[in-house]
Amino acid sequence: MNRRQRIGFIGLGAMGLPMAKNLIKNGYILNVSTYRNRTPVDELKELGAVEQNSVSELVSESDIVISILPTDREMESVLLSGEVLDQLTSEKILIEMTSGSPAMMKKVNEIYKGMGVRVLDAPVSGGTAGAEKGTLTVMAGGDAKLVEECKPIMEAMAEKIYVVGQIGAGKAIKAINQLLASIHMIASAEALALAEKLEIETDILKKVVGNSSGASWMLENKIDSLVERNFNPGFKLNLMKKDVQIAVDEAGNDKLPLASYVLDLYKEVANQDGERDFSAIGKKVLV
Ligand code: NDP
């Protein structure tokens, strides 16, 4: 893909801002516009991004649109708005990176496909640290040739790019990952609570369990902030709650008893700490 193609980036939050920076670093022309907070737009302009006056202009001036928005609700209200749809032409490509539902992804794709727009369903994993370092994992659903065509763009933001199936499969595998991640997070907090009670040092816990059958990414990567009771996001608890809800809804009929239980815990903690890091679920068990 041609490096000088113009990319319009929608969703300049904890993930989108560092991802957009990496696109600029890799030589892409980046179009941005302000939604509510203009700080990320100013930051990106300093690095060479072009500010457009509206999302409609952003789409009109871009060959490729990348979106990474909070939830299905914003996917629908932005990507299926008249403002955006009116600017779509059959040469354009959408790389949709929100952790949304498979159903919403399919809905967006159907409408875009009808207009000749090619779409990739490409959510990510790796957190804000991965977004900053450009080491994200992309779970790409869609046409394999389109994945290949868009690979250089995704490689500016990610280390690993997996083709996981058709449109909807990216969102599906991301929801499965989040089901595990949400459970592993509360499990790691419980492990720490017990270690603190039994006076086991955290470094020993990390080293020994980290090399034993109880190891998990969450235990390895989140235990230090749990020890410090540092719940600055990161990845907001409300977003994790949304992800577990997608998994539970997709399974249907109470088919995921553990995930359903954990979802209730995230819902409870969200009342007070929804905008804090999802590790704040640890408050349920840590003293
Ligand atoms: P944030 O809440 O930090 O950012 C969301 C961004 O979307 C903000 O820039 C917000 O703009 C923008 N936005 C909201 N509504 C609109 C709209 N209608 N039009 C244009 N822009 C809008 O979320 P994250 O970056 O943390 O997460 C984004 C997605 O990535 C979520 O689906 C999340 O689950 C997923 N994800 C997050 C990870 C993480 O570690 N944070 C890791 C992997 C995936 P404004 O600030 O102006 O309101």
Side-chain angles (χ1 to χ4, degrees), residues 171-214:
K171 303 289 188 244
I173 200 156
K174 174 70 188 179
I176 295 166
N177 182 75
Q178 295 305 90
L179 173 157
L180 288 169
S182 64
I183 294 170
H184 291 176
M185 184 72 250
I186 179 84
S188 298
E190 284 197 2
L192 177 64
L194 185 60
E196 287 178 346
K197 178 159 193 285
L198 301 180
E199 298 180 350
I200 297 291
E201 279 178 31
T202 315
D203 282 352
I204 304 267
L205 174 73
K206 250 167 87 171
K207 199 197 291 173
V208 177
V209 177
N211 284 301
S212 303
S213 55

Side-chain angles (χ1 to χ4, degrees), residues 10-16 35-37 68-71 74 77-78 97-100 124-128 174 234-236 239 242-243:
I10 305 177
L12 300 171
M15 293 299 284
Y35 173 54
R36 285 182 298 220
N37 174 12
I68 179 155
L69 289 158
T71 71
E74 292 81 15
S77 70
V78 177
M97 306 188 102
T98 307
S99 305
V124 293
S125 180
T128 49
K174 174 70 188 179
F235 177 49
K236 290 174 199 149
L239 293 176
K242 166 261 308 179
D243 290 341

Side-chain angles (χ1 to χ4, degrees), residues 18 22 25 126-136 156-159:
N22 281 328
K25 265 191 220 148
T128 49
E132 277 154 29
K133 287 186 261 173
T135 57
L136 293 170
M157 303 178 280
E159 207 166 61

